[in-house]
Amino acid sequence: MALPSTYADRNCSLARALEVVGERWTLLIVRDAFYGVRRFGDFATQLGIPRAVLTSRLKALVQEGVLTRDDTAGGVEYRLTDKGIALWPVVRSLMSWGDAFYSPAGMKRALRHDHDGGLLDDEGRCRQCGSVIPVPEIRIEPGPGFTPSDSDPDRVSAILNTPRRLLEPLTTPRG
């Protein structure tokens, strides 16, 4: 449910941003888009989200210009726009906050500079070379706090649980 848009003079940028990304599941959809998820079925599989809710959230993200919806030979794909990619610092910060307060064994997912393997700090700076690393050059991989599932992971999770660059599309067979 969206926040009411009756703020005094509509002078709250945080409230406006939460209207776009503050509904349940929305930031997880954005996170998975960074991880390379592009197909409706892959979002549904990875998140376990009701299909009607996923449809609604994807439609809203497309309307707001956070995602694009592209018809391809392989079906419909959703991709982050520049506006969506600009959400990376928010996603990264929330991941870091969650690791700090809810992952006593350490970070669930490590972020590295793909070029030199350096870990990224909380500001997105490579500890090896000192550069702030742009999203397409970030590799994500299981961290020390990552706990693999006891069961066989679905095909989407299996791919996402291996080191890979952000924004790199999943290459999963249709099935």
Side-chain angles (χ1 to χ4, degrees), residues 11 13 18-19 22 57 81 83-84 89 109 113 122 133 158 162 169:
N11 282 329
S13 295
L18 286 174
E19 283 184 354
R57 299 302 186 274
T81 62
K83 183 178 182 179
R109 306 237 179 210
H113 184 186
D122 290 344
I133 307 306
T162 60

Side-chain angles (χ1 to χ4, degrees), residues 12-13 20-22 43 58 78 81 102 113 115 127 140 146-147:
C12 183
S13 295
V20 176
V21 297
F43 282 110
L58 288 170
Y78 296 89
T81 62
Y102 300 105
H113 184 186
H115 178 72
R127 292 180 182 163
I140 190 164
F146 181 81
T147 307

